[in-house]
Amino acid sequence: MEAYLNRSIKEVIKEFPPVEKILDEYGIGCGPCAVGLCLLKDIVSIHNLPAEEEREMMGRIAQVIHPGQEIQIPRTERKAEAQPKELKYSPPMKKLVDEHVLIKKWLALIPEILPALNLESEEDRQLIRDGVDFIRSYADRFHHAKEEEILFKYFDEDLDMVKVMGEDHKTARNHVKAIVDAVERKDRETVAQHLTAYRELLSQHIKREDEIMLPWMDQHLSVSQVGEMFSKFLEVEERMDSYQKKYEDFISRLEREYRKKGVNHGSIQRLPGLQDG
Amino acid sequence: MAQFSGCPGSRMVDFREKSEPTKEEATGKIQSQLRQWPIQLHLISPTASYYQGADVLLTADCVGYALGGFHPDFLKGKSLAIACPKLDEGQDIYQEKIKSWIDDAKINTLTVLIMQVPCCMGLLNLAQQAAREAKRKVPIKYVVAGIQGEILKEEWA
Amino acid sequence: MKIKRKIIQIEEDKCDGCGLCVPSCAEGALQIIDGKARVVADKFCDGLGACLGECPNDALHVIERVADDFDEKAVEEHLEATGSAHGAHPQAHAPAAAGCPSARLQTFSPATPCQQANQPVSYAGSPSALTHWPVQIRLVPPTAPFLKGADLLVAADCTPIAYANFHRDFLNGKVVMMGCPKFDEADAYVEKFAEIFKVSGVKSVSVVTMEVPCCQGLPMIVRKGLEISKKKIPLEQVIISTRGEVLKTQKLVA
């Protein structure tokens, strides 16, 4: 069991597929992760489950890896007290979480836009271009920039979590490139495919950031660093001060248009982490 | 005492660089982390050198008596002021000073450290009110100490 | 025995029987009787005035008149009899203020934590060297049980901030009362200390102050209180520099 704790989650799941489902039951969504570099022991300690739950989960994983054997559950190092139900972020982290809310609204709109999307119409092509602009300007230049150029710099760039999040950002950018090409070719299939993939990727990514990465980083930053980061975020916001309002308005407009059309919400698959607001 | 005008009790002294860090002796002696004088909120000037861009600790009078590790755990690396939200008179000036910390001294962060007794909350309220009126924004953290020396709560406001 | 002393007076016109003052009295001297707050017996009231802040109608005042002297033993018996051990005579290791499950008389309105917050409690066995609450000179009644036969440390507010090893070097094994001789009322303190030295059997007094001149009022206050009490108690003073070193230790009274 010890040996498996030190393997990457990708390897563990490859060898023991049921582990993915077990983790998922405890709110740990490692399955869809494209990278899977995190070591099993790090994943457990980062999630900081209440002691009882952690023991139970590890017991079940041990049963899958070594069926029928009595296993000593090795104690994983706890970084801090188990997280309370309600997460309280430091002010700079809270800004990032609030920006996630707007991005999640965009993600929620994607399945509402796709069904009636007709790339023969210039209006619809422009809609996709506007969506791409939202992603590239707000989600990427405004939000991810804060994460990559400021937040991540406070941590070791070799940290698995930082690498994984960075990879996600890259993958997302690739999807967007594909969408841009496909729009001009009026290739509806490809646009839909990449937008949907983008939506799945970002929802998991945001959930991981909100629930795991940001709280973990909060615990590892000194008061002084939090103040510095907050100040740097404010500088970004001052430089790009029209962005927040512009893109909030964009999303509100879309929500009004698409929800007014009476789209059947029941048929839309709700991904986890995409609650309204 | 050297010759100077005004009450020596409130004469401003900044001794941040002058002390060398010494190793903690085997006897467990705690090194003093105080780098300034005065310390009472009534007496401090919010724009004093040691507040400029600093991480500031605003703490209730009793806290030093309740927390054995006050110096290494809370004071280290910070500039501070102490006050009693229950018993101090003339508290209107307090809000002005906190606002000045934020807007004029452009402090980096404000940590408010209080006791668990209800009257102490007044200090946090004071700080939040001042923050609402200030033009700049700074992260504010609050920490609640129990009378038996435990930390009961530590959160960003 | 009747003497002229400080005692509580309740202005009946202003009192509406809300009962907020009742739990604030550590001696249980106040009760709501016939819809008005009353002092149950003069001998239960020590005239401290802790109840004053609790009355929303300003019906409580401290006056001086001829009255039965404060009788601590009688208070103990009274509290045991009424079963309201909410602070004046706690068991050792009684939990602090909020949520304290004390038995109350039915005419009491439940005390809010605020009113209980500064009632004296004793406890021990903690990482800090502090063994009691409250700590402010203004809030500690002379009858606080933790003062009995104690080694008393009187500290200027700033001293634990200036001196990092305060708990180990000064507080350990002592009971502390803190105050600021510059900003607080000196006369009230002199009276309080006089009372404490008279009734509590304090064994020794150590006064810790800063080097700044305004701090020197504190040993004078304590000394004056000692003179008034006519007790013989050893008194020493320690002076701390703003850099956190002991500058001087001297015996003021052998």
Side-chain angles (χ1 to χ4, degrees):
Chain A
M1 181 71 182
E2 197 67 50
Y4 285 98
L5 284 174
N6 283 301
R7 293 250 185 90
S8 76
I9 189 64
K10 199 165 158 186
E11 285 174 41
V12 175
I13 291 180
K14 193 151 176 240
E15 207 178 321
F16 303 101
V19 170
E20 179 183 337
K21 187 160 183 303
I22 296 174
L23 288 173
D24 192 53
E25 283 178 37
Y26 291 88
I28 302 178
C30 290
C33 175
V35 190
L37 291 177
C38 304
L39 303 182
L40 178 54
K41 70 166 192 231
D42 287 337
I43 291 170
V44 177
S45 86
I46 281 171
H47 280 78
N48 245 323
L49 296 170
E52 260 315 310
E53 275 188 45
E54 185 182 301
R55 230 194 325 268
E56 188 185 273
M57 182 185 76
M58 294 307 286
R60 290 172 62 187
I61 292 178
Q63 280 303 312
V64 166
I65 296 180
H66 304 283
Q69 286 181 32
E70 270 299 331
I71 300 291
Q72 268 284 17
I73 313 289
R75 277 212 60 195
T76 48
E77 198 196 284
R78 301 188 79 83
K79 288 263 154 45
E81 290 304 315
Q83 298 284 357
K85 285 296 160 193
E86 210 203 286
L87 287 168
K88 269 218 156 170
Y89 302 98
S90 67
M93 303 305 190
K94 180 136 197 328
K95 275 177 186 286
L96 295 177
V97 172
D98 288 344
E99 286 160 18
H100 284 165
V101 170
L102 192 61
I103 299 173
K104 284 194 284 189
K105 286 188 175 176
W106 162 245
L107 298 179
L109 280 164
I110 291 174
E112 296 175 41
I113 293 172
L114 284 180
L117 186 68
N118 172 16
L119 292 183
E120 296 300 324
S121 116
E122 170 62 22
E123 199 185 317
D124 278 15
R125 286 201 300 276
Q126 189 54 41
L127 169 62
I128 299 298
R129 288 186 206 114
D130 288 343
V132 164
D133 176 55
F134 174 84
I135 295 173
R136 282 186 161 163
S137 299
Y138 187 80
D140 221 359
R141 211 173 320 143
F142 187 61
H143 174 81
H144 287 163
K146 281 184 192 168
E147 291 178 349
E148 287 171 14
E149 284 161 37
I150 302 172
L151 175 62
F152 291 177
K153 295 257 193 288
Y154 282 88
F155 296 90
D156 182 358
E157 63 184 8
D158 284 327
L159 199 63
D160 284 329
M161 201 158 45
V162 172
K163 281 203 286 208
V164 167
M165 296 305 170
E167 286 297 319
D168 278 353
H169 291 173
K170 278 202 203 121
T171 310
R173 287 173 192 134
N174 288 337
H175 281 306
V176 172
K177 249 191 261 163
I179 292 167
V180 167
D181 286 336
V183 158
E184 302 315 320
R185 280 178 295 139
K186 301 184 187 166
D187 179 352
R188 197 189 167 287
E189 274 303 311
T190 308
V191 166
Q193 185 197 340
H194 282 280
L195 261 181
T196 305
Y198 174 84
R199 177 178 172 245
E200 280 176 28
L201 171 69
L202 260 282
S203 349
Q204 287 291 348
H205 173 85
I206 287 174
K207 185 164 193 272
R208 272 202 301 276
E209 288 192 339
D210 283 355
E211 292 175 19
I212 300 157
M213 186 184 83
L214 297 182
W216 184 87
M217 288 183 162
D218 255 345
Q219 278 160 28
H220 288 77
L221 287 169
S222 71
V223 163
S224 195
Q225 288 172 318
V226 168
E228 258 177 47
M229 204 183 317
F230 186 76
S231 187
K232 290 187 182 153
F233 281 7
L234 280 180
E235 276 168 30
V236 172
E237 281 157 35
E238 256 162 59
R239 256 198 342 258
M240 307 184 164
D241 77 3
S242 55
Y243 277 47
Q244 189 65 34
K245 177 110 188 19
K246 176 178 172 191
Y247 293 103
E248 265 172 17
D249 287 346
F250 169 66
I251 297 295
S252 304
R253 183 172 54 92
L254 282 184
E255 282 178 338
R256 274 197 310 271
E257 280 177 34
Y258 280 86
R259 287 173 191 170
K260 194 176 61 179
K261 281 181 184 168
V263 177
N264 183 359
H265 287 272
S267 66
I268 294 171
Q269 181 208 9
R270 282 239 179 274
L271 288 178
L274 278 186
Q275 271 54 290
D276 293 68
Chain B
M1 287 276 135
Q3 292 286 344
F4 48 76
S5 60
C7 173
S10 28
R11 182 171 61 109
M12 185 173 80
V13 188
D14 180 346
F15 42 99
R16 282 172 296 172
E17 279 83 37
K18 295 177 189 119
S19 29
E20 288 119 37
T22 58
K23 284 213 308 263
E24 275 185 24
E25 295 159 28
T27 52
K29 184 172 167 173
I30 301 173
Q31 207 201 339
S32 171
Q33 300 296 336
L34 184 65
R35 298 286 180 271
Q36 66 180 90
W37 195 263
I39 62 175
Q40 299 219 24
L41 190 53
H42 255 308
L43 298 177
I44 58 112
S45 162
T47 49
S49 52
Y50 37 76
Y51 291 126
Q52 298 291 333
D55 294 301
V56 175
L57 177 67
L58 175 61
T59 183
D61 284 354
C62 298
V63 166
Y65 295 86
L67 293 182
F70 178 78
H71 277 251
D73 298 343
F74 291 100
L75 184 51
K76 187 166 186 181
K78 297 201 182 71
S79 300
L80 96 161
I82 69 175
C84 177
K86 183 185 172 94
L87 300 174
D88 283 353
E89 301 200 346
Q91 293 193 26
D92 319 311
I93 193 78
Y94 284 178
Q95 214 171 289
E96 289 300 314
K97 290 197 179 185
I98 299 172
K99 186 157 159 247
S100 184
W101 270 338
I102 299 174
D103 283 337
D104 303 323
K106 302 201 184 344
I107 60 175
N108 191 33
T109 59
L110 178 64
T111 304
V112 183
L113 174 52
I114 56 178
M115 299 301 304
Q116 68 185 114
V117 290
C119 38
C120 239
M121 257 317 199
L123 200 58
L124 178 62
N125 295 339
L126 207 64
Q128 287 178 311
Q129 183 58 28
R132 276 192 285 272
E133 295 183 4
K135 293 193 204 70
R136 265 183 90 237
K137 297 254 160 294
V138 292
I140 299 180
K141 194 173 201 189
Y142 74 99
V143 184
V144 181
I147 57 189
Q148 303 197 39
E150 351 76 282
I151 299 303
L152 296 174
K153 202 172 194 181
E154 192 163 349
E155 260 180 32
W156 289 95
Chain C
M1 198 195 80
K2 283 200 196 297
I3 54 165
K4 188 162 190 206
R5 68 173 182 97
K6 286 207 169 90
I7 194 168
I8 285 301
Q9 182 195 63
I10 300 159
E11 237 180 292
E12 295 212 11
D13 299 336
K14 290 194 177 158
C15 173
D16 61 11
C18 69
L20 284 171
C21 57
V22 171
S24 67
C25 177
E27 288 71 32
L30 289 167
Q31 273 187 42
I32 305 297
I33 301 174
D34 290 338
K36 297 274 180 202
R38 302 206 191 282
V39 176
V40 174
D42 282 355
K43 63 184 172 180
F44 294 158
C45 172
D46 66 5
L48 175 75
C51 51
L52 256 53
E54 312 310 329
C55 178
N57 300 337
D58 195 30
L60 291 169
H61 308 284
V62 176
I63 57 162
E64 252 195 52
R65 66 170 167 87
V66 174
D68 280 332
D69 199 357
F70 176 67
D71 183 348
E72 211 198 313
K73 186 116 196 353
V75 167
E76 270 186 53
E77 287 161 12
H78 166 65
L79 286 172
E80 270 176 45
T82 57
S84 55
H86 62 207
H89 294 268
Q91 326 304 317
H93 311 287
C100 180
S102 45
R104 297 198 184 284
L105 296 186
Q106 300 199 299
T107 49
F108 287 23
S109 28
T112 65
C114 194
Q115 287 140 351
Q116 294 171 290
N118 288 304
Q119 284 174 2
V121 285
S122 291
Y123 58 89
S126 54
S128 90
L130 186 64
T131 55
H132 63 91
W133 193 262
V135 294
Q136 301 240 17
I137 297 175
R138 212 174 317 184
L139 300 178
V140 175
T143 49
F146 50 75
L147 282 173
K148 303 239 170 297
D151 290 302
L152 180 62
L153 174 71
V154 179
D157 285 357
C158 299
T159 48
I161 311 295
Y163 190 84
N165 288 281
F166 189 85
H167 283 247
R168 186 192 72 170
D169 294 350
F170 296 118
L171 187 49
N172 206 15
K174 297 209 178 79
V175 162
V176 66
M177 290 173 70
M178 60 178 277
C180 178
K182 184 183 173 91
F183 288 116
D184 299 341
E185 265 204 53
D187 295 336
Y189 284 3
V190 170
E191 276 183 46
K192 167 100 40 120
F193 282 121
E195 195 56 27
I196 288 176
F197 298 142
K198 258 190 251 169
V199 310
S200 66
V202 149
K203 286 194 323 241
S204 71
V205 186
S206 195
V207 182
V208 179
T209 63
M210 298 302 305
E211 57 180 315
V212 294
C214 39
C215 234
Q216 301 323 307
L218 196 58
M220 297 202 304
I221 287 171
V222 176
R223 211 169 175 168
K224 233 172 161 187
L226 200 50
E227 279 166 23
I228 297 176
S229 75
K230 301 209 200 331
K231 292 275 184 180
K232 288 221 174 315
I233 307 176
L235 171 64
E236 70 164 9
Q237 179 185 7
V238 182
I239 302 181
I240 307 289
S241 76
T242 55
R243 309 299 162 104
E245 296 128 7
V246 174
L247 288 180
K248 197 179 187 174
T249 306
Q250 58 187 9
K251 290 213 183 314
L252 299 179
V253 171

